[in-house]
Amino acid sequence: MIKKQWLQDLKAIPFLLPFFVAYMIFTIFPIFKGLEMSLYDWTLVRKIEFVGLENYVNMFTDQHFWRTLWNTTFFVILTTPTMVLLALGLALLSNLNTKLKIFFRGSFFIPSILSVSVISFLMIFMLQPYNGLVNNVIQMIGIDAEPKWMADQGLAWVTIVVVTLWWTVGFNMILFLAALQDIPESLYEASEIDGASRWDMFRYITLPQLIPIGRVVLLLQILASYKVFAQILLITGGGPGGATRPLIQYIYEVGFNQNNLGYAATMSYALFFILLILSIIQLKNQRSGEN
Amino acid sequence: MSDPQFSNEAAVRVKKNKSTVLQRNRDPKLGLKVTLGFIVALIFISPIIWMLFVSIKPNGFSTTQPLEWFLPPYTLYNYVDIMFGSLIFRWLFNSLIVAVITTVLTLIITSLAAFAISQMKFRFKNFIFIFFLLGLMIPGEATIIPLYEVAKSFGLIDTYAGLILPMIASPLGVIILKSFFDNVPKEVIESAIIDGCSYFKLFYKIVLPLAKPALSAIGIFTFIGSWNNFLWPYLSILSETLYTLPVGLPVFNSTYSQAYVQPMTANAIASIPVIIAFLLFEKQIVKGISFTGIKG
């Protein structure tokens, strides 16, 4: 029996090995490599010297680090509640009893399968002052204004948030929509017999039934928003004056423009722990939703 | 997260919807709600429609009258011009090659690993599975700087392999496929083993065909994810000829600030394949999302 056990182990190895190797090299090993790098003065070309915790000390006193971490957090605060509400609203529209609902669902979802480069440059061209489509439409309906969507600090945030909502809401909408369609019809039938109004049904049946998926969407959104980078880099470049620059962009600039991979790895660790804690909460939440 | 019977569930859902139509009273405000939905859907899709219309306008076209964008004359000349007169075609090819190979390799290695964990008996199985599960919690964005160093030491910077290999070990794929394989009826497996079927034969002749829905969902998400991946190609590719579309497009588009037609044609070229993929596989995509609940 014992002899057979190692034979069984041997048979499993060819099945497990390809995944295991790729996983070890590209997912697990970089975590430890990052720890090593964060303890060194390390350039794009080579590691220079061991500096102990100096990078970490620098990080805690680096105002750019705190500023960009705040910008990222601000983005999370702005996008999370709006995303959940918009996703819910669009799911309700896509669940209406009409033949158009396929068109609704497709329209809400298609932006989210497009590349970040496509949606960013689409928006840059649409939002240009003087001859951009959006400003021209605004003027066509009689409002005499020329908003600078990417150059004004407040408007730059509005632009980033609205573009992100438009681009990524489809995914969350599908999650809500699936949950909506899973609500047992008998609940509505019973309440109808009891004389409940449509609003009552929504308030006392639909909404409570959507709370578990709502929690999932909320946490997924926080997690995804902390990783924000590409659309901000491409649309505002982090501007005006660094007002919208997120942490990942700063990490990139320190690593690749300032040639300081050691410090970039240190800040990546800070991000790593924020995201790790959030995803542990997320997985726990999802697990408890299942049981 | 792991509900292996989503195809059954979907079937039940269809039935349920039918009964909804028959039984529930008509919503008196339905017309109003549908109108609202129609307006919102139009707003959502209009940038994409605009992009497609601009891409078929004559070169150099610009207007401050919004409606004029959508009126003729039309031409497909821009597509020809950009495909043959710029690097876009090369980048399209790179994106396609990278996405296809990434998808195929992901499906192969995740299904092999999932099969072993689901159907084979070996020591430390649970430990290995939990070790793979941990990968779900590791955010790629936060390990990308050390990943760059790792890729550099393997000579993977500025290569196709460097774009592909770091993306293929998907823990989520293993988890989804394992729960699918777990549901293959025990009798089927046992009788195959009694017939002297090897594990490998069992894998690709019997278990794999039964997991087609999961494989296609994972395949579509991997493909779209790779096609649109920005951060890693942006860091790891230095030569213009090896850019993928998401990295190349900003370079191409930045050279135009006032001309609309070329950038929008380039955007359309990058978008049309995924839009077609969406229209073809809409059902699998929608099912796949509600099944996993996790971004691809």
Side-chain angles (χ1 to χ4, degrees):
Chain A
M1 205 57 201
I2 293 163
K3 216 175 177 185
K4 262 195 169 169
Q5 184 57 57
W6 71 257
L7 243 164
Q8 289 283 336
D9 294 351
L10 211 63
K11 278 184 184 165
I13 285 175
F15 287 88
L16 289 168
L17 203 61
F19 183 88
F20 187 78
V21 170
Y23 182 68
M24 285 307 288
I25 295 176
F26 299 113
T27 307
I28 301 298
F29 182 55
I31 301 172
F32 297 99
K33 188 77 187 172
L35 186 63
E36 185 200 354
M37 290 170 76
S38 72
L39 301 174
Y40 279 83
D41 180 6
W42 193 306
T43 69
L44 279 167
V45 185
R46 63 192 181 92
K47 70 174 159 188
I48 308 282
E49 59 173 343
F50 184 77
V51 295
L53 294 175
E54 200 185 292
N55 283 325
Y56 288 90
V57 174
N58 283 346
M59 181 173 79
F60 281 103
T61 53
D62 178 359
Q63 55 165 4
H64 295 298
F65 169 74
W66 292 110
R67 177 71 198 275
T68 50
L69 180 60
W70 163 247
N71 284 345
T72 301
T73 309
F74 187 54
F75 176 81
V76 174
I77 295 169
L78 290 177
T79 49
T80 306
T82 42
M83 180 68 81
V84 174
L85 289 178
L86 185 65
L88 174 62
L90 297 184
L92 290 169
L93 289 175
S94 302
N95 200 36
L96 288 175
N97 185 10
T98 160
K99 277 180 185 151
L100 282 171
K101 69 181 171 193
I102 297 165
F103 167 66
F104 291 180
R105 193 178 67 184
S107 302
F108 301 151
F109 189 73
I110 280 181
S112 63
I113 56 169
L114 299 183
S115 160
V116 66
S117 310
V118 169
I119 61 103
S120 298
F121 276 89
L122 187 48
M123 288 302 141
I124 290 172
F125 281 94
M126 286 183 72
L127 293 171
Q128 273 179 357
Y130 306 113
N131 60 356
L133 183 70
V134 171
N135 281 10
N136 290 338
V137 168
I138 288 176
Q139 284 146 11
M140 189 176 77
I141 59 174
I143 299 167
D144 188 23
E146 198 64 67
K148 312 272 188 299
W149 294 104
M150 291 159 287
D152 175 89
Q153 187 173 325
L155 282 181
W157 273 115
V158 172
T159 302
I160 298 284
V161 170
V162 171
V163 169
T164 305
L165 289 174
W166 170 71
W167 178 38
T168 57
V169 73
F171 177 89
N172 297 314
M173 175 215 50
I174 298 281
L175 290 178
F176 271 121
L177 186 58
L180 269 176
Q181 293 173 344
D182 275 346
I183 300 175
E185 191 57 28
S186 56
L187 289 179
Y188 293 106
E189 283 158 14
S191 70
E192 202 159 20
I193 293 165
D194 294 343
S197 70
R198 282 194 162 262
W199 171 249
D200 290 338
M201 288 185 197
F202 179 71
R203 172 74 185 74
Y204 296 105
I205 299 172
T206 313
L207 274 186
Q209 293 279 330
L210 290 179
I211 282 174
I213 194 69
R215 276 215 310 254
V216 171
V217 170
L218 186 82
L219 284 162
L220 279 177
Q221 191 49 42
I222 295 175
L223 206 55
S225 296
Y226 260 106
K227 299 176 185 174
V228 69
F229 165 65
Q231 69 266 42
I232 297 185
L233 175 82
L234 294 172
I235 295 176
T236 67
T244 58
R245 183 168 62 163
L247 181 58
I248 293 186
Q249 187 184 342
Y250 182 51
I251 292 174
Y252 170 79
E253 287 170 2
V254 166
F256 290 87
N257 299 349
Q258 299 172 21
N259 195 15
N260 190 349
L261 283 184
Y263 185 36
T266 309
M267 290 189 290
S268 298
Y269 248 90
L271 180 66
F272 181 84
F273 279 107
I274 295 171
L275 294 174
L276 188 69
I277 291 164
L278 288 171
S279 54
I280 290 170
I281 297 173
Q282 147 68 11
L283 284 179
K284 268 211 170 129
N285 172 50
Q286 220 164 36
R287 198 64 50 85
S288 72
E290 269 165 29
N291 296 340
Chain B
M1 187 172 66
S2 52
D3 183 352
Q5 288 172 315
F6 76 81
S7 51
N8 297 343
E9 208 177 273
V12 174
R13 216 175 270 163
V14 172
K15 268 187 214 153
K16 239 188 280 171
N17 284 352
K18 269 189 191 148
S19 67
T20 314
V21 178
L22 294 176
Q23 287 168 9
R24 225 191 302 178
N25 284 342
R26 251 190 88 84
D27 182 351
K29 286 184 198 145
L30 185 65
L32 204 70
K33 289 175 185 169
V34 172
T35 313
L36 175 71
F38 188 73
I39 293 169
V40 179
L42 219 51
I43 292 171
F44 259 77
I45 201 74
S46 61
I48 295 161
I49 305 283
W50 179 74
M51 169 182 88
L52 295 174
F53 270 101
V54 177
S55 75
I56 54 170
K57 295 298 280 182
N59 202 343
F61 182 83
S62 181
T63 177
T64 54
Q65 300 300 314
L67 293 177
E68 273 183 30
W69 287 111
F70 302 94
L71 302 174
Y74 304 132
T75 168
L76 286 175
Y77 173 75
N78 309 308
Y79 283 86
V80 181
D81 187 34
I82 283 184
M83 281 296 220
F84 296 106
S86 72
L87 280 169
I88 296 270
F89 185 74
R90 179 66 203 254
W91 298 337
L92 184 80
F93 174 78
N94 291 344
S95 283
L96 200 66
I97 278 278
V98 169
V100 168
I101 299 178
T102 303
T103 306
V104 171
L105 289 181
T106 303
L107 288 177
I108 292 174
I109 70 167
T110 54
S111 59
L112 282 170
F115 177 80
I117 291 167
S118 167
Q119 299 295 345
M120 298 172 85
K121 294 186 187 75
F122 53 91
R123 274 173 289 181
F124 309 117
K125 187 159 97 167
N126 281 333
F127 174 78
I128 290 173
F129 186 49
I130 289 167
F131 181 60
F132 287 172
L133 276 174
L134 284 178
L136 280 183
M137 286 185 276
I138 299 166
E141 283 79 356
T143 54
I144 207 137
I145 296 283
L147 179 62
Y148 180 86
E149 277 299 307
V150 173
K152 200 171 80 180
S153 57
F154 281 95
L156 291 173
I157 295 302
D158 214 22
T159 63
Y160 280 135
L163 288 177
I164 296 163
L165 295 178
M167 302 296 141
I168 59 175
S170 153
L172 186 63
V174 175
I175 293 160
I176 294 173
L177 285 166
K178 179 199 172 284
S179 61
F180 243 84
F181 294 163
D182 284 346
N183 268 47
V184 175
K186 282 242 154 40
E187 308 82 65
V188 175
I189 306 236
E190 275 161 14
S191 66
I193 289 177
I194 289 165
D195 289 348
C197 202
S198 72
Y199 272 121
F200 191 69
K201 220 168 171 187
L202 181 69
F203 168 68
Y204 85 99
K205 279 260 162 80
I206 296 169
V207 176
L208 216 48
L210 289 172
K212 259 188 198 152
L215 289 171
S216 62
I218 297 167
I220 293 160
F221 281 110
T222 310
F223 184 90
I224 293 178
S226 169
W227 182 268
N228 289 339
N229 193 5
F230 178 79
L231 185 54
W232 178 240
Y234 181 67
L235 292 187
S236 70
I237 295 300
L238 314 166
S239 336
E240 245 183 4
T241 49
L242 281 181
Y243 282 174
T244 55
L245 270 175
V247 183
L249 276 180
V251 175
F252 179 84
N253 286 347
S254 305
T255 56
Y256 300 91
S257 62
Q258 292 303 316
Y260 284 77
V261 174
Q262 288 92 341
M264 288 311 127
T265 309
N267 276 350
I269 291 171
S271 308
I272 289 169
V274 278
I275 293 178
I276 291 175
F278 171 74
L279 296 176
L280 287 178
F281 300 113
E282 191 188 353
K283 261 189 202 144
Q284 286 93 324
I285 291 174
V286 169
K287 253 196 262 170
I289 293 173
S290 39
F291 176 46
T292 62
I294 287 180
K295 280 179 200 200

